[in-house]
Amino acid sequence: MLAQLASVAIAAASLAAAADDTGAWTLVGNSGVVCIHTFLVPGMRLVCNERPHAIYPSNVNTGGLISTEIDLLNGADINGFGKWTTKFTPREVATNPFCAGHAQMANGSIFVAGGDPYGNLPNQMAGTYPDGRKGRRIYNPCPADSAADCVGSYTALPDMSSERWYPTVATLADDTQIIIGGSTINLDLNKLNVSQNNPTYEYWPAKTGDWPRHLDILSWAFPFMLYPMVFVMPSERVFLFVSNKTVIIDPKTDQLIYTVPDMPVIDHAPWIYPFTPTMTVLPMTIKNNFKFTLQVCGGAKISNADASPMCWQINPDDSQPTWTRVDDMPHARVMVDSAIMPDGKIIYVNGAGWGQAGGDAGQNYNAQYPVMIPDIFDPEAPAGKQWSSYVPASQYRLYHSGVVLLETGHILTTGSEEDNYDDYWKYNKTNCMPWVPQFNEGCTSPFNTNIERFTPPYLQRAERNGRPVISKAPTTLTHKSTFIVELSSSISNVARATFIRYTTTTHSTNTDQRFIELQILYTTSNSLVLQAPDTAGRAPPGNWMLFILDKDGVPSVAKTIQLRRGDAVTVAIPSGAAPFTAPTGAGSGSQKGSAVQTAISSVAGVLSAAAAAAFALLF
């Protein structure tokens, strides 16, 4: 009996540890600049852009330059779970890209359009940045086989025909970029001038004909039309949402389609900057038949200045799309950011519980009550049980913050220009903001260049029990192709393969982000035969992360695959391959909460009353 008790106790202790998996936060280094604009590029690297310090001392980290490439691992093992110490390298950019829109291109480079008119003051170290509102630039990361110390660089393109501040950019199914909206100058909501609106769109590379072209919806929405929500759909048409209205653009004909009804108006300010919710393409999975669903969450109420917890969904490619309200976020927040995780859940982080976005660096009276707790949404959970909350972060992430998923499965939060939040809201140091020429004595710099890493519960399980390991995968792939992935870990535990696109993010806007579950067709003793996504509308060309997950929802370190347009390729089925069958008990992994008590109840049922009582004393 004692041996049985000990065995059961060990098993339950293991379950107890799993039940306590609530995530962990770790500071991993310095980005050099405030990551107002954050681009993920292969090799565990970020590119970040900040605003020129026109009213502040120049950035001593970079000699006044406003862009860096950050090596997150900086020699650390990508397969390990230890702390990282990042290394940043300043990068030059020809015109001011602050307040630009951006998207990952089909070749993995980053296209950046528009910007801000103001550069550094003439007496600062780096001189001035030319007006960037008409600017177009491409950031070219290093090729995959480059030396470890290689860093990417910007290439300047010809200017646009009009000025754009806070535009949105998305990469389309044909490899081109659509550039939508913005204003002709940094819009002051207290001094509105309709002539500052730029209610137009255009493409890169430029189409023939008269461009840019007018969009009535952007004229109607003024001044709530900045950073409109834009996504390419499986039909290859473009979804465009501002305030509470939608238009669909067919980029093949430039026809405008109005089939999506207005978002219901229920105690919510316009669903756009400065009230700043975030919209996410939900995972397209085998279970949901790869359905394309958009979810918008957060923002601000209209009845008062509180943040809103509301979330709504729409399937805009449906013949009769309908807005559907789903479970509210556990923590209402404005300036919220989201990242899709390898297990198909979505993490919502950053932001504030009151107020709105906007303002110069340090001007933090626009928003208060930072929300530090990450909330995770499970699209497959039943209504009323879709959200769970995890341990709080250490860093305020307010205006000008971001979040990205990494190849390791970690989540990074970046940015914020309101690190002086406590000066004003806690200590009432009114002399400390918003324009502190030399950072008065006792004042906190508003610029947050810390990077914080969230370890989700699935990585806590991975550290204890191991994780799938991909030993070989293709570096390029075309739609509808089949391909082989080799593993050096057990095939028997493999449950899923998921594909997540590399992202760029700013101002709660991320047009790149999407998740597609891949079909596993066959298995051998050490390999999988997988099916690539079907269309470029569902899976836009570019760099994607391939994750293999076990039956407990633990992902591998991802392999980067560049998805390209082209003819589908079918690989030969390996000798001895068998059709894939998911392992028994496969799911999204153990859940926190009542797991320990459930385990105790289960094992106690097989013991005598006395033994059960003794067992309970162990816990």
Side-chain angles (χ1 to χ4, degrees):
M1 176 61 73
L2 287 177
Q4 186 179 10
L5 275 171
S7 177
V8 171
I10 291 169
S14 177
L15 285 169
D20 289 335
D21 288 346
T22 55
W25 291 90
T26 309
L27 289 174
V28 296
N30 192 321
S31 53
V33 299
V34 180
C35 291
I36 296 172
H37 303 269
T38 304
F39 319 145
L40 179 66
V41 296
M44 291 289 289
R45 290 174 178 249
L46 302 180
V47 178
C48 287
N49 292 340
E50 69 175 5
R51 75 166 90 212
H53 291 200
I55 57 175
Y56 289 90
S58 187
N59 185 339
V60 296
N61 294 322
T62 61
L65 297 178
I66 61 173
S67 183
T68 59
E69 181 173 310
I70 303 124
D71 181 350
L72 294 169
L73 292 177
N74 190 22
D77 180 7
I78 193 171
N79 296 299
F81 298 93
K83 187 175 180 179
W84 308 333
T85 303
T86 63
K87 175 186 176 182
F88 65 84
T89 304
R91 310 310 298 138
E92 294 186 2
V93 56
T95 59
N96 185 354
F98 169 55
C99 299
H102 34 74
Q104 183 200 182
M105 304 175 74
N107 67 357
S109 296
I110 311 299
F111 178 78
V112 184
D116 195 77
Y118 302 115
N120 289 336
L121 295 175
N123 62 348
Q124 294 183 347
M125 286 182 280
T128 61
Y129 277 92
D131 187 340
R133 289 172 294 173
K134 290 185 178 181
R136 284 185 289 216
R137 321 144 193 90
I138 293 176
Y139 190 84
N140 301 293
C142 290
D145 56 354
S146 300
D149 60 353
C150 178
V151 290
S153 60
Y154 278 99
T155 298
L157 300 174
D159 280 353
M160 294 181 287
S161 59
S162 62
E163 297 165 333
R164 297 188 186 274
W165 184 88
Y166 278 37
T168 299
V169 176
T171 294
L172 304 181
D174 65 356
D175 296 0
T176 66
Q177 282 68 50
I178 190 169
I179 310 163
I180 300 179
S183 61
T184 62
I185 193 136
N186 40 340
L187 205 61
D188 184 343
L189 296 177
N190 297 310
K191 300 176 183 177
L192 292 176
N193 183 339
V194 71
S195 68
Q196 296 171 347
N197 191 9
N198 187 347
T200 68
Y201 76 105
E202 58 188 294
Y203 298 92
W204 175 261
K207 283 188 176 183
T208 58
D210 294 328
W211 294 95
R213 295 189 182 177
H214 189 268
L215 286 168
D216 288 342
I217 194 172
L218 297 181
S219 294
W220 165 84
F222 181 84
F224 304 120
M225 75 305 167
L226 299 173
Y227 282 128
M229 299 177 188
V230 178
F231 300 93
V232 63
M233 303 188 295
S235 63
E236 301 189 2
R237 301 179 302 175
V238 177
F239 172 91
L240 166 60
F241 178 79
V242 284
S243 187
N244 76 323
K245 292 184 180 293
T246 301
V247 65
I248 292 173
I249 304 170
D250 185 341
K252 296 175 182 177
T253 64
D254 290 295
Q255 177 188 7
L256 303 182
I257 303 159
Y258 298 91
T259 54
V260 178
D262 292 351
M263 163 85 79
V265 179
I266 304 175
D267 193 17
H268 201 288
W271 291 79
I272 200 163
Y273 174 90
F275 309 110
T276 317
T278 194
M279 185 174 276
T280 312
V281 181
L282 294 185
M284 290 171 274
T285 67
I286 296 169
K287 185 175 180 179
N288 67 26
N289 199 29
F290 304 103
K291 192 169 184 64
F292 182 84
T293 302
L294 294 166
Q295 177 165 290
V296 60
C297 289
K301 294 182 178 180
I302 201 167
S303 58
N304 55 46
D306 290 342
S308 170
M310 280 198 286
C311 291
W312 291 79
Q313 294 180 359
I314 189 80
N315 308 115
D317 249 350
D318 286 359
S319 58
Q320 294 183 312
T322 302
W323 288 99
T324 302
R325 187 170 176 180
V326 294
D327 290 359
D328 286 354
M329 291 189 293
H331 300 92
R333 50 183 113 204
V334 63
M335 300 180 289
V336 56
D337 292 292
S338 71
I340 307 174
M341 302 192 297
D343 60 0
K345 297 181 177 68
I346 300 99
I347 185 169
Y348 288 80
V349 292
N350 302 341
W354 176 94
Q356 64 184 47
D360 292 300
Q363 190 173 311
N364 54 36
Y365 54 69
N366 286 327
Q368 64 172 320
Y369 310 130
V371 183
M372 316 290 281
I373 295 175
D375 296 321
I376 293 181
F377 178 82
D378 184 352
E380 296 186 353
K385 298 182 179 180
Q386 294 178 310
W387 291 95
S388 53
S389 298
Y390 294 82
V391 295
S394 70
Q395 300 291 296
Y396 293 154
R397 300 291 183 191
L398 296 163
Y399 188 43
H400 285 156
S401 298
V403 64
V404 292
L405 166 73
L406 301 180
E407 298 157 52
T408 57
H410 291 95
I411 308 296
L412 285 191
T413 59
T414 61
S416 187
E417 287 189 317
E418 298 184 355
D419 251 21
N420 59 329
Y421 177 87
D422 285 345
D423 286 355
Y424 180 77
W425 287 107
K426 187 180 290 187
Y427 304 121
N428 196 32
K429 295 180 180 180
T430 55
N431 66 311
C432 287
M433 50 75 64
W435 300 289
V436 187
Q438 297 297 329
F439 298 134
N440 296 338
E441 185 176 354
C443 293
T444 304
S445 166
F447 303 116
N448 189 337
T449 58
N450 286 319
I451 301 173
E452 193 164 19
R453 182 185 77 185
F454 180 63
T455 300
Y458 55 67
L459 290 184
Q460 293 178 308
R461 297 195 295 274
E463 188 169 6
R464 286 195 305 272
N465 306 319
R467 64 194 301 184
V469 179
I470 303 174
S471 56
K472 185 177 181 181
T475 56
T476 62
L477 190 63
T478 53
H479 295 89
K480 296 183 180 179
S481 292
T482 59
F483 63 104
I484 295 175
V485 172
E486 296 180 6
L487 274 67
S488 58
S489 56
S490 173
I491 291 289
S492 63
N493 281 334
V494 169
R496 302 178 78 189
T498 62
F499 213 37
I500 301 180
R501 198 168 188 268
Y502 275 68
T503 62
T504 70
T505 181
T506 189
H507 293 78
S508 303
T509 301
N510 187 334
T511 67
D512 289 307
Q513 184 168 231
R514 60 187 61 199
F515 169 118
I516 298 174
E517 183 176 8
L518 301 183
Q519 291 182 311
I520 305 176
L521 304 176
Y522 298 95
T523 64
T524 72
S525 61
N526 70 338
S527 66
L528 308 171
V529 180
L530 305 178
Q531 178 81 54
D534 58 351
T535 67
R538 193 182 311 279
N543 284 325
W544 290 68
M545 292 179 279
L546 170 67
F547 293 94
I548 303 299
L549 288 82
D550 68 17
K551 64 183 179 63
D552 294 319
V554 174
S556 66
V557 172
K559 290 293 186 182
T560 299
I561 299 178
Q562 189 175 108
L563 185 61
R564 300 174 174 175
R565 291 189 303 131
D567 294 336
V569 175
T570 302
V571 297
I573 306 303
S575 176
F580 171 72
T581 302
T584 302
S588 58
S590 56
Q591 300 295 313
K592 65 188 182 72
S594 61
V596 176
Q597 187 56 50
T598 300
I600 292 174
S601 299
S602 298
V603 296
V606 302
L607 304 174
S608 67
F615 175 78
L617 291 176
L618 295 173
F619 298 91

